[in-house]
Amino acid sequence: MHERRSVERRVGFIKWGRRLGVVAGIGAALWLVLMSPFLEFDPADVEASGFGTVVDEAAVEAILETHDGTALAMLNTSHVESQIGELVGVSAVQVERVWPTGLRVAITPSEPVAAIPAAEGFALVTETGEQVNASDDAPTDLPVVDVPVGEDNERILSGVLGVLERTPADLRGRIENVQAETEDSIHFVLRDGPRVEWGSVDQTPLKAEVLQTLLDSDAAEGATVIDVSAPTLPTVVKD
């Protein structure tokens, strides 16, 4: 009987020892993940991409610096995304943990599609009309937009920006300036070519395809005006 009780006690001690070991292991793991300096976020350990031409890299770094020393497991990546997403020129952002101490930050920038004359220089705006940068001089890689201003003319600017947004980047880069008196009378001049009558924003992809085809053919040689406002019946005017 005595030996049986002794065995039972030893078995009990072993069970409790195992349980305590499990608890201690869990505690050690939690300490390692939540409190260990070896798993704290280090701003120097960041993979960032997608700044484009307008996102301020220093502003992104300043935001990340505010989280220096936070346990990586406790770092609220959604909050960091929200902070960076409020910066000028950021269209979207994704933040992921990179163990043991880093983050991966992938930014989708809002690139300007046009320059609009301002009180001083030019405002560089996106397809939505958001100003993301400024320039003292007219940029050589963006079209300058000349349209009536004011609340009554917002649809004109919206139409012009819609055309530029949907025009392939290579073709858009050749546009020197865009003018419009109404949303249906958009026209522009190419840097190395003729004036183009575009009409409204409707059928912009087709108009761009037709214009590019004409520019790549002999039909545009010596042309002063190319009219693609009716893209199925384009016309070319020559001197």
Side-chain angles (χ1 to χ4, degrees), residues 113-118 121-125 135-147 157 160-161 164 172-180 186-191:
V113 299
I116 298 178
F122 296 83
L124 308 188
V125 301
S135 175
D136 292 334
D137 303 312
T140 58
D141 58 343
L142 292 175
V144 174
V145 173
D146 181 12
V147 298
L157 177 59
V160 169
L161 295 178
L164 296 176
R172 185 170 65 233
R174 296 174 63 178
I175 300 174
E176 184 172 9
N177 61 67
V178 186
Q179 295 181 327
I186 299 169
H187 54 273
F188 52 80
V189 175
L190 299 177
R191 298 181 191 278

Side-chain angles (χ1 to χ4, degrees), residues 47-57 60 84 88-93 105-111:
E47 304 171 24
S49 62
F51 292 100
T53 63
V54 295
V55 180
D56 186 349
E57 186 172 352
V60 174
I84 296 175
V88 172
V90 176
S91 175
V93 59
V105 180
I107 296 171
T108 302
S110 293
E111 291 295 316

Side-chain angles (χ1 to χ4, degrees), residues 37 39-47 64-65 67-72 75 98 100-103:
L39 295 179
E40 292 179 349
F41 170 59
D42 181 358
D45 190 14
V46 172
E47 304 171 24
L64 296 174
E65 286 285 350
H67 301 283
D68 186 13
T70 301
L72 191 62
L75 186 58
V98 179
T101 62
L103 290 176

